[in-house]
C-alpha cells in the first residue's frame, strides 16, 4: 500500500458519492500493518500478524449528513456503501451546522516515520517480549506479568473531500506494555501498568528497560498495604494520576461540544481564572516524533500547539469544523477534530503538557504533615458536574515523616474546585504514555475516607 | 453465513495440525440525538477471517479482511510463521506454567444457532429508529424547565459468525444486540446534575424494553437529574448497603467475575487456590452463562464461544463456596477441567480471550420491602456509573442514586457516592437476598484489551461496604 493509493481510494469514494447525489462528501481511509507478540501469565503466549484498510465516508445531501465506514476492498462494493451513506443522509433531519472545511496549509511533523520499524517482523517482537519478561523477572521475582504485548505498526492515513482537502501521512509506532501485580505468599498487591512507546526502533530496548523498572517499582510498592485514615487534608497527585484523572476532566470541559450542550461548568468562563495561577496547560499536536502528533486532524485541518490554561486563566475552547460553525461569528476549527476512519469527527485534545513548577517532587509533603500520595486514581468522575469519588491506587499515607502503602482509601470532591486547591507543582515531569507530559500536583483540603 | 461455514470447512479439511478459522461479519448502526439535533447517524461494516494455529506449544494468529480461499490460506501461513516464532520463546515463561503442547479433545459445537430478533430489528426502518430517539430526547427536555439538555443514543449490532476447527467444531450463528441510552442534564443556580438510564439486549425490541418502555426510561432519567439537583452528599465510611440489581451486576462482574477468569487466576488473582473454599455467605450463588437465564434477552448472550465450545451455564460460587473458574480451551487443559465456553473475540482481527458473558447472582426468598424495613441505618444504592476492580479484589463503583435508610424507612437522596470494598469480604457480609431478578448491565461493554458485550444482574442484596463521600 502507498499513501498515493490510499488518497486515490478516498478520491474514488468522494467521486462516487457525488454521482450518487451527495452535495458534498469527505472520505478518509487508513491502512495499518502490525506484528505483535502477546504476553500472558508471565510467558510469551501468542504472536500475531495483521493488515487492514478501513475507510469512512461522510456525505451531505440537502443539509443532512450520513456516514458509512467499512473494511471492504472490493471496488464493486464501494457503490453499495456510498448508496447506503446517501440513503442515511436522506432520512436524517437537516442540520445547518453540518459542512466540510475548506483546505488549509498542512505542514509535516518530523519524526513520525522510521523505516526500521517497518522492517520489524514477528521474530523480533517475540524476542523483545521474551527479553522484557526476563528483565522483569530479574528485577523482582514477586512481580507477575498478567498480560502485555510488544508491537510494531506501520500506518497510513489519507483524506479527500469535495472542498479540495487532500492530505496523507505515514507513521510508525513501537509499543511495549506490561500489566500485572506483585504476589508475595498469600498477599496480592494492586494491579499496575507501564509502557514504552516510540515512533522509532533505535533505542527501544532502553525504553522497554526503563518501563520495566517503573512497572516493577510500582507493583512491589503495593505490597504490605494496610488501612489508611479518614481526614481532610493535602493529597499529591502523581504524574500518572494527573494525566489519567485531572486532565481528562479539564479537557472534557473545554471541548466545544460539551460547552454548547450545557455540559461544561467552564462554559461561561473563557478568559477567567478557573485554576490556581500555578497551572499552565498546553494542547500540542505537533511534537516532533510525538506519538500523539499528526500533521492534520480528523478533518484534514492543520494541528497546532496552543495554551488551554495560562497561569490558571482559561485561554480557549477546542473546536472541530461542526462546533466552529455552531459557535458562529467567524469561529474556525482549532484543528481538534478527533476520531478515525471508522467514526464521525468528534472533538478532543492531542498531547497535553503541564508547565513544571519549582518544588522538588520529594519535597511536596513536609515531614510534619499528614497527606496521601495518589499513585493512580480508580474512580468515577462526572464530566458534567466535576464531582469525583474513587479509590486511591498505588497510594501512600505520609504521617510524621513515615510513608506507608495503604488500601481501601477513597478521595472525593469536585475536579473544578480541585483545580483551585492546587498549591504546588513539581519541577520534575513524566511522559505518560506519550499522551501527556506532566508534573505531580499537590492539592489542599481534600476529603480522604479510609475503610 | 452458510456459505462462509462451507468455505471454512473446505479450507480446514486441507490443514495439518490444529487450526481454528473464524469468520466474523459485523454491521453496527448508531444514532445520536442531542439537544434536539440528530448529530450522528452512521453505519459500520467490518468483516473478515481470523485464524489461529497452535503448534510446538506456541499460538500464532493472523487475520484478513478478504473472505476468499486464497486470502484465508495466506493468513494461515502467516499464523504458522507466527506460531513458530512464539514456540521459540514460549520457554521464556515461568517454570510454574510450562508450555502446553496440545489441546485435549472436548465437546465442540456443530450446527446453526441463530438467535431471535434479527428479522424484527432489520425490518424496522431507519426513520422509525430516528423518530424514537428524537422523541425520547424531546420528552426529557420537556419534562421540566430545569432540564438544560438531553441526549439519546440508539445502537444496534448485527453479528454473523462461523467457527471451524480442525478437531471438530463447525458452528455458525447470527444475532442482534440493540442498545438505548438516555441522559438528562438539569441545572439550577449554576449547579448541574445528570440522570442516566441505559438498556441493552440480545434480541428484538421486546427484549430491549423488557423492564421498561423507552418513555419510562426517559422520564426516569429526567426525574433523577432533577432530584439530584437538591441532593446533599453521603457521609463517607463503612455502611450497611442494599444494592439494586444493577449494582449487584456490577459487583459480580467487576469484582468477582474478573478474579475468576482463569488467565487472571494463573497470574495470581485473589481467587487462586480458593476452589472448594468459602468465599461468600451461604446466601450467595453466582453464575456466568452464555444463555439468558430467568428471562430472554440478556445482553451478553452467545450460543457458542469463539473457540467453538458451547457457551453453557457455569456456576462459579455455590451457596458461598467457590466451585469453578471461567475457562478457554487452553486454560481448561492447564487446570484439568472442561472448557466453559468463555473464549470470546470482539472482531475478526481479535484473538479469543477469556471473557464473561451474562454474570448474575441467583435470587433469594425475601421481599425488598421486608429487607428495607429490617435495616436500621444504611443506604439503598441504584444506577451504576463506571466500575473497576483490582487483582486484590478491591473494587470501586460510581453510584448514580443513593437513598438514606433510617429505622427501616427510605429517606432522602444523596449524590456523588462511590461504593468500594474487597469483593469476597463484601460477599461474606451478604445477609439478605430478595426474590426479584433483573438483567441490568446489557448496555455495558467490558474492556480487557478488546471490548466485549456482557450483561449482569441479580436480585437486591444487603451487605456491608465502604462508601466514598465527604469527610
Amino acid at each position: 500500500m502507498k499513501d498515493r493509493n490510499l488518497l486515490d481510494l478516498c478520491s474514488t469514494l468522494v467521486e462516487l458519492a457525488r454521482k450518487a447525489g451527495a452535495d458534498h462528501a469527505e472520505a478518509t481511509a487508513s491502512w495499518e500493518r502490525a506484528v505483535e507478540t502477546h504476553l500472558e501469565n508471565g510467558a510469551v503466549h501468542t504472536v500475531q500478524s495483521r493488515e487492514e484498510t478501513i475507510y469512512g465516508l461522510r456525505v451531505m445531501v440537502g443539509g443532512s449528513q450520513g456516514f458509512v465506514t467499512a473494511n471492504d476492498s472490493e471496488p464493486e462494493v464501494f457503490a453499495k456503501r456510498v448508496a447506503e451513506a446517501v440513503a442515511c443522509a436522506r432520512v436524517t433531519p437537516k442540520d445547518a451546522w453540518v459542512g466540510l472545511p475548506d483546505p488549509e496549509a498542512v505542514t509535516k511533523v518530523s519524526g513520525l516515520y522510521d523505516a526500521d520499524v517497518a522492517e520489524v517482523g514477528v521474530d523480533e517482537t517475540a524476542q523483545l517480549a521474551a527479553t522484557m519478561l526476563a528483565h522483569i523477572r530479574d528485577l523482582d521475582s514477586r512481580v507477575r506479568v498478567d498480560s502485555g504485548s510488544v508491537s510494531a505498526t506501520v500506518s497510513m492515513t489519507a483524506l479527500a473531500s469535495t472542498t479540495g482537502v487532500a492530505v496523507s501521512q505515514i507513521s510508525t509506532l513501537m509499543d511495549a506494555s506490561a500489566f500485572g501485580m506483585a504476589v508475595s505468599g498469600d498477599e496480592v498487591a494492586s494491579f499496575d501498568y507501564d509502557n514504552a512507546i516510540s515512533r522509532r526502533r533505535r533505542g527501544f530496548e532502553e525504553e522497554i528497560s526503563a518501563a520495566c523498572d517503573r512497572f516493577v517499582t510500582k507493583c512491589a510498592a503495593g505490597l504490605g498495604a494496610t488501612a489508611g485514615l479518614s481526614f481532610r487534608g493535602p493529597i499529591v497527585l502523581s504524574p500518572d494520576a494527573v494525566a489519567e484523572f485531572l486532565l481528562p476532566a479539564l479537557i472534557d470541559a473545554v471541548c466545544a461540544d460539551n460547552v454548547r450542550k450545557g455540559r461544561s461548568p467552564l462554559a461561561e468562563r473563557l478568559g477567567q481564572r478557573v485554576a490556581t495561577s500555578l497551572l499552565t496547560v498546553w494542547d500540542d499536536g505537533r511534537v516532533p516524533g510525538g506519538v500523539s502528533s499528526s500533521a492534520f486532524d480528523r478533518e484534514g485541518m492543520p494541528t497546532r500547539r496552543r495554551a488551554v490554561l495560562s497561569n490558571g486563566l482559561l485561554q480557549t475552547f477546542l473546536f472541530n469544523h461542526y462546533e466552529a460553525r455552531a459557535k458562529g461569528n467567524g469561529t474556525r476549527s482549532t484543528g481538534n477534530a478527533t476520531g478515525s476512519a471508522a467514526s464521525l469527527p468528534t472533538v478532543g485534545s492531542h498531547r497535553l503538557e503541564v508547565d513544571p513548577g519549582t518544588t522538588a517532587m520529594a519535597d511536596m509533603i513536609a515531614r510534619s504533615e499528614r497527606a496521601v500520595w495518589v499513585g493512580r486514581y480508580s474512580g468515577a468522575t462526572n464530566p458534567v458536574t466535576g464531582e469525583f469519588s474513587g479509590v486511591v491506587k498505588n497510594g501512600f499515607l505520609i504521617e510524621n515523616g513515615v510513608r506507608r502503602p495503604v488500601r481501601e482509601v477513597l478521595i472525593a470532591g469536585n475536579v473544578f474546585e480541585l483545580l483551585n486547591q492546587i498549591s504546588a507543582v513539581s519541577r520534575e515531569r513524566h511522559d505518560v504514555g506519550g499522551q501527556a507530559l506532566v508534573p505531580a500536583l499537590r492539592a489542599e483540603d481534600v476529603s480522604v475516607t479510609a475503610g | 453465513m452458510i456459505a462462509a461455514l462451507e468455505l471454512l470447512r473446505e479450507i480446514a479439511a486441507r490443514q495439518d495440525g490444529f487450526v481454528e478459522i473464524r469468520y466474523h461479519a459485523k454491521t453496527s448502526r448508531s444514532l445520536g440525538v442531542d439537544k434536539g439535533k440528530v448529530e450522528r447517524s452512521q453505519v459500520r461494516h467490518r468483516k473478515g477471517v481470523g485464524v489461529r494455529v497452535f503448534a510446538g506449544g506456541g499460538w500464532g494468529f493472523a487475520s484478513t479482511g478478504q473472505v476468499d480461499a486464497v486470502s484465508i490460506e495466506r493468513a494461515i501461513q502467516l499464523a504458522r510463521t507466527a506460531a513458530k516464532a512464539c514456540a521459540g520463546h514460549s520457554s521464556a515463561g515461568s517454570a510454574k506454567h510450562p508450555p502446553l503442547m496440545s489441546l485435549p479433545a472436548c465437546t465442540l459445537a456443530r450446527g446453526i444457532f441463530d438467535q431471535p430478533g434479527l428479522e424484527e430489528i432489520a425490518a424496522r426502518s431507519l426513520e422509525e429508529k430516528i423518530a424514537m430517539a428524537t422523541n425520547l430526547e424531546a420528552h426529557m427536555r420537556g419534562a421540566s424547565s430545569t432540564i438544560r439538555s438531553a441526549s439519546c443514543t440508539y445502537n444496534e449490532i448485527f453479528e454473523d459468525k462461523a467457527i471451524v476447527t480442525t478437531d471438530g467444531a463447525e458452528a455458525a450463528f447470527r444475532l442482534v444486540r440493540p442498545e438505548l441510552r438516555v441522559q438528562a442534564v438539569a441545572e439550577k443556580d449554576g449547579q448541574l446534575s445528570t440522570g442516566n438510564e441505559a438498556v441493552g439486549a440480545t434480541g428484538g425490541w421486546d427484549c430491549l424494553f423488557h423492564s421498561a418502555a423507552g418513555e419510562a426510561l426517559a422520564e426516569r432519567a429526567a426525574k433523577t437529574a432533577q432530584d439530584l439537583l437538591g441532593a446533599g452528599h453521603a457521609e463517607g465510611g463503612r455502611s450497611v448497603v442494599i444494592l439494586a440489581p444493577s449494582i449487584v451486576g456490577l459487583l459480580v462482574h467487576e469484582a468477582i467475575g474478573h478474579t475468576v477468569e482463569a488467565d487472571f487466576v494463573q497470574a495470581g488473582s485473589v481467587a487462586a487456590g480458593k476452589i472448594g473454599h468459602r468465599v461468600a455467605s451461604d446466601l450467595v450463588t453466582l453464575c456466568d452463562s452464555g444463555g439468558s437465564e430467568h428471562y430472554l434477552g440478556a445482553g451478553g448472550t452467545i450460543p457458542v464461544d469463539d473457540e467453538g465450545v458451547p457457551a453453557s451455564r457455569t456456576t462459579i460460587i455455590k451457596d458461598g463456596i467457590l466451585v469453578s473458574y471461567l475457562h478457554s480451551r487452553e486454560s481448561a487443559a492447564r487446570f484439568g477441567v472442561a472448557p466453559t465456553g468463555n473464549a470470546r473475540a470482539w472482531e475478526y482481527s481479535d484473538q479469543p480471550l477469556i471473557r464473561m458473558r451474562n454474570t448474575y447472582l441467583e435470587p433469594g426468598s425475601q421481599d425488598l420491602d421486608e429487607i428495607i424495613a429490617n435495616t436500621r441505618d444504611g443506604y439503598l444504592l441504584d444506577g451504576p456509573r463506571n466500575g473497576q476492580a483490582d487483582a486484590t479484589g478491591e473494587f470501586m463503583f460510581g453510584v448514580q442514586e443513593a437513598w438514606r435508610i433510617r429505622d427501616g424507612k427510605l429517606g432522602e437522596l444523596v449524590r456523588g457516592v462511590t461504593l468500594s470494598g474487597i469483593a469476597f469480604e463484601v460477599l461474606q457480609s451478604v445477609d439478605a437476598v430478595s426474590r426479584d431478578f433483573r438483567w441490568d448491565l446489557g448496555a455495558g461493554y467490558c474492556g480487557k484489551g478488546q471490548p466485549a458485550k456482557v450483561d449482569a444482574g441479580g436480585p437486591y442484596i444487603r451487605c456491608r461496604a465502604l462508601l466514598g463521600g465527604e469527610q
Side-chain angles (χ1 to χ4, degrees):
Chain A
M1 179 65 75
K2 291 190 168 66
D3 52 354
R4 188 67 248 165
N5 297 350
L6 209 59
L7 200 52
D8 287 346
L9 167 62
C10 294
S11 301
T12 301
L13 289 164
V14 165
E15 196 48 41
L16 283 171
R18 221 199 286 256
K19 283 182 186 158
D23 305 320
H24 278 289
E26 171 208 74
T28 181
S30 64
W31 167 86
E32 191 171 281
R33 190 185 70 214
V35 287
E36 187 166 4
T37 293
H38 295 270
L39 305 173
E40 193 176 301
N41 302 323
V44 171
H45 185 268
T46 311
V47 176
Q48 181 175 349
S49 169
R50 64 188 156 84
E51 181 172 351
E52 186 177 49
T53 301
I54 294 179
Y55 63 84
L57 176 70
R58 190 154 63 120
V59 300
M60 281 117 210
V61 184
S64 297
Q65 180 173 271
F67 180 78
V68 67
T69 173
N71 69 336
D72 312 303
S73 52
E74 307 88 349
E76 61 274 19
V77 183
F78 292 160
K80 195 173 150 193
R81 299 294 179 230
V82 168
E84 199 172 10
V86 170
C88 181
R90 288 194 198 283
V91 297
T92 301
K94 283 184 184 178
D95 183 343
W97 300 331
V98 157
L100 297 174
D102 290 326
E104 286 189 27
V106 168
T107 51
K108 195 175 163 184
V109 178
S110 64
L112 301 189
Y113 178 77
D114 174 13
D116 290 344
V117 175
E119 296 301 314
V120 173
V122 287
D123 286 318
E124 198 167 338
T125 59
Q127 180 60 53
L128 286 170
T131 306
M132 184 164 95
L133 279 175
H135 189 58
I136 291 169
R137 202 164 43 236
D138 289 348
L139 284 168
D140 191 332
S141 61
R142 298 171 302 173
V143 174
R144 306 268 180 91
V145 177
D146 169 74
S147 59
S149 66
V150 176
S151 65
T153 307
V154 191
S155 46
M156 274 186 272
T157 308
L159 185 145
S161 76
T162 46
T163 59
V165 176
V167 289
S168 65
Q169 178 174 273
I170 182 165
S171 60
T172 48
L173 198 68
M174 294 294 302
D175 190 0
S177 64
F179 175 83
M181 67 286 199
V183 179
S184 179
D186 287 341
E187 187 188 0
V188 181
S190 284
F191 280 132
D192 227 305
Y193 166 88
D194 216 303
N195 75 325
I197 189 162
S198 174
R199 297 285 191 186
R200 294 184 309 145
R201 174 66 185 86
R202 179 181 287 197
F204 196 59
E205 282 87 347
E206 289 74 17
E207 294 193 37
I208 290 181
S209 177
C212 290
D213 292 345
R214 294 191 298 269
F215 173 67
V216 166
T217 302
K218 288 190 283 191
C219 287
L223 285 170
T226 51
L229 290 170
S230 296
F231 66 100
R232 279 194 86 94
I235 62 168
V236 177
L237 299 173
S238 74
D240 283 0
V242 171
E244 290 160 7
F245 156 56
L246 195 65
L247 291 182
L250 172 66
I251 293 304
D252 267 347
V254 300
C255 285
D257 53 342
N258 290 327
V259 172
R260 175 175 58 81
K261 293 170 189 170
R263 293 182 187 144
S264 167
L266 304 184
E268 309 296 331
R269 306 288 302 278
L270 195 63
Q272 297 177 18
R273 178 169 303 288
V274 298
T276 167
S277 61
L278 298 171
L279 212 55
T280 293
V281 180
W282 302 85
D283 173 47
D284 194 344
R286 305 195 61 81
V287 181
V291 300
S292 302
S293 295
S294 170
F296 53 88
D297 72 358
R298 166 64 181 81
E299 294 176 313
M301 293 295 98
T303 54
R304 296 179 177 86
R305 173 182 167 87
R306 67 175 68 234
V308 175
L309 289 188
S310 203
N311 299 317
L313 301 177
L314 181 60
Q315 299 295 310
T316 189
F317 294 124
L318 305 179
F319 292 92
N320 61 9
H321 186 66
Y322 180 91
E323 293 302 333
R325 282 172 65 107
K327 179 74 177 166
N329 297 323
T331 307
R332 297 177 69 84
S333 165
T334 54
N336 286 92
T338 51
S340 68
S343 61
L344 281 162
T346 50
V347 190
S349 57
H350 306 287
R351 187 181 79 153
L352 297 170
E353 190 181 317
V354 178
D355 278 357
T358 54
T359 312
M361 211 181 280
D363 297 337
M364 293 189 80
I365 300 167
R367 282 190 64 80
S368 58
E369 286 184 303
R370 175 194 287 168
V372 167
W373 168 271
V374 182
R376 284 186 297 118
Y377 166 83
S378 168
T381 304
N382 186 325
V384 178
T385 64
E387 286 170 341
F388 71 89
S389 177
V391 178
V392 173
K393 292 290 177 183
N394 197 0
F396 295 87
L397 177 71
I398 295 102
E399 202 175 22
N400 301 322
V402 177
R403 176 184 154 109
R404 65 177 174 88
V406 287
R407 61 174 210 172
E408 283 196 281
V409 169
L410 293 113
I411 53 173
N414 186 294
V415 169
F416 299 100
E417 290 170 17
L418 198 69
L419 289 172
N420 286 292
Q421 292 161 243
I422 290 165
S423 58
V425 178
S426 76
R427 62 174 173 245
E428 303 93 330
R429 292 190 295 176
H430 292 178
D431 180 302
V432 182
Q435 309 290 315
L437 180 64
V438 280
L441 300 175
R442 173 182 164 125
E444 304 298 326
D445 195 32
V446 177
S447 170
V448 177
T449 303
Chain B
M1 177 181 65
I2 305 292
L5 186 63
E6 191 54 43
L7 175 65
L8 268 48
R9 190 187 287 147
E10 284 170 16
I11 295 168
R14 296 195 285 271
Q15 306 304 319
D16 293 325
F18 179 82
V19 181
E20 171 191 287
I21 315 172
R22 172 170 44 91
Y23 165 79
H24 191 177
K26 214 170 191 175
T27 294
S28 319
R29 181 178 292 285
S30 178
L31 297 171
V33 180
D34 215 309
K35 220 176 173 180
K37 279 181 174 294
V38 178
E39 289 202 344
R40 188 177 66 255
S41 173
Q42 62 185 59
V43 189
R44 182 172 185 271
H45 299 278
R46 200 155 182 250
K47 72 168 193 297
V49 173
V51 298
R52 286 203 304 177
V53 168
F54 189 56
W59 284 102
F61 180 74
S63 55
T64 174
Q66 325 260 324
V67 186
D68 59 72
V70 172
S71 303
I72 296 169
E73 302 241 26
R74 194 184 304 132
I76 293 172
Q77 281 313 312
L78 284 170
R80 288 191 189 283
T81 305
K84 200 173 159 194
C86 183
H89 293 284
S90 54
S91 58
S94 63
K96 200 173 170 187
H97 302 301
L100 190 73
M101 298 312 288
S102 65
L103 293 176
C106 64
T107 303
L108 293 167
R110 295 173 75 87
I112 308 293
F113 303 92
D114 284 354
Q115 301 295 298
L118 286 156
E119 289 75 16
E120 181 224 315
I121 300 239
R124 291 184 188 273
S125 68
L126 178 56
E127 289 96 320
E128 181 186 1
K129 291 162 187 169
I130 289 176
M132 175 185 69
T134 306
N135 291 339
L136 292 180
E137 191 273 343
H139 198 61
M140 285 183 283
R141 273 186 298 122
S144 156
S145 58
T146 61
I147 301 294
R148 187 158 155 185
S149 72
S151 65
C152 177
T153 302
Y154 172 76
N155 298 327
E156 59 194 26
I157 306 172
F158 289 87
E159 299 202 56
D160 185 344
K161 276 191 185 182
I163 301 139
V164 173
T165 65
T166 48
D167 64 349
E170 283 186 9
F173 64 87
R174 294 178 303 159
L175 55 76
V176 62
R177 302 194 206 275
E179 304 162 7
L180 183 84
R181 291 186 182 78
V182 289
Q183 182 187 54
V185 180
E187 191 258 334
K188 194 176 177 189
D189 301 331
Q191 191 193 23
L192 297 168
S193 64
T194 58
N196 295 276
E197 294 293 331
V199 287
T202 307
W205 280 15
D206 53 335
C207 293
L208 183 65
F209 299 117
H210 176 273
S211 295
E215 291 75 16
L217 294 167
E219 281 161 18
R220 210 185 292 160
K223 183 172 187 313
T224 302
Q226 294 169 73
D227 290 350
L228 286 172
L229 270 181
H233 288 268
E235 194 181 316
R238 205 162 286 281
S239 178
V240 171
V241 287
I242 297 173
L243 310 181
S246 60
I247 308 283
V248 170
L250 205 52
L251 178 77
V252 297
H253 175 94
E254 289 289 349
I256 307 292
H258 282 299
T259 69
V260 297
E261 290 169 343
D263 49 344
F264 277 150
V265 174
Q266 285 177 281
S269 85
V270 285
K274 297 263 186 358
I275 293 283
H277 292 232
R278 174 163 295 283
V279 294
S281 90
D282 57 10
L283 297 175
V284 172
T285 291
L286 195 160
C287 305
D288 179 75
S289 178
S292 183
E293 312 292 336
H294 295 280
Y295 62 88
L296 280 180
T301 302
I302 49 167
V304 178
D305 80 357
D306 288 305
E307 295 184 322
V309 175
S312 53
R313 188 177 75 147
T314 304
T315 301
I316 298 166
I317 297 173
K318 181 159 180 51
D319 302 329
I321 309 295
L322 186 68
V323 293
S324 179
Y325 301 131
L326 302 176
H327 288 288
S328 62
R329 291 189 68 181
E330 180 188 353
S331 75
R334 291 189 186 281
F335 282 80
V337 297
T340 54
N342 285 84
R344 301 180 64 186
W346 175 240
E347 291 192 336
Y348 80 90
S349 55
D350 295 310
Q351 53 173 313
L353 301 176
I354 298 175
R355 311 300 298 266
M356 282 168 268
R357 302 152 309 181
N358 302 314
T359 315
Y360 65 99
L361 206 71
E362 287 284 11
S365 57
Q366 288 184 266
D367 280 331
L368 172 62
D369 291 345
E370 177 192 340
I371 299 173
I372 294 172
N374 291 332
T375 304
R376 196 178 59 80
D377 185 15
Y379 291 88
L380 171 64
L381 308 181
D382 200 357
R385 297 299 295 258
N386 60 342
Q388 291 109 36
D390 208 327
T392 57
E394 183 178 20
F395 65 87
M396 187 300 306
F397 307 143
V399 173
Q400 179 168 274
E401 301 135 83
W403 286 271
R404 197 79 173 82
I405 301 174
R406 287 191 193 87
D407 298 324
K409 291 189 173 57
L410 279 184
E412 74 277 13
L413 183 66
V414 293
R415 64 190 289 171
V417 171
T418 305
L419 179 72
S420 181
I422 306 292
F424 287 138
E425 290 175 12
V426 171
L427 285 192
Q428 294 270 17
S429 74
V430 172
D431 64 0
V433 178
S434 84
R435 62 168 60 97
D436 315 75
F437 183 89
R438 200 162 73 231
W439 292 113
D440 219 351
L441 281 190
Y445 289 77
C446 170
K448 186 175 167 183
Q450 49 179 276
K453 277 302 297 180
V454 295
D455 208 336
Y460 289 85
I461 65 169
R462 185 173 65 188
C463 54
R464 289 182 66 79
L466 180 61
L467 282 191
E470 296 284 328
Q471 286 300 312

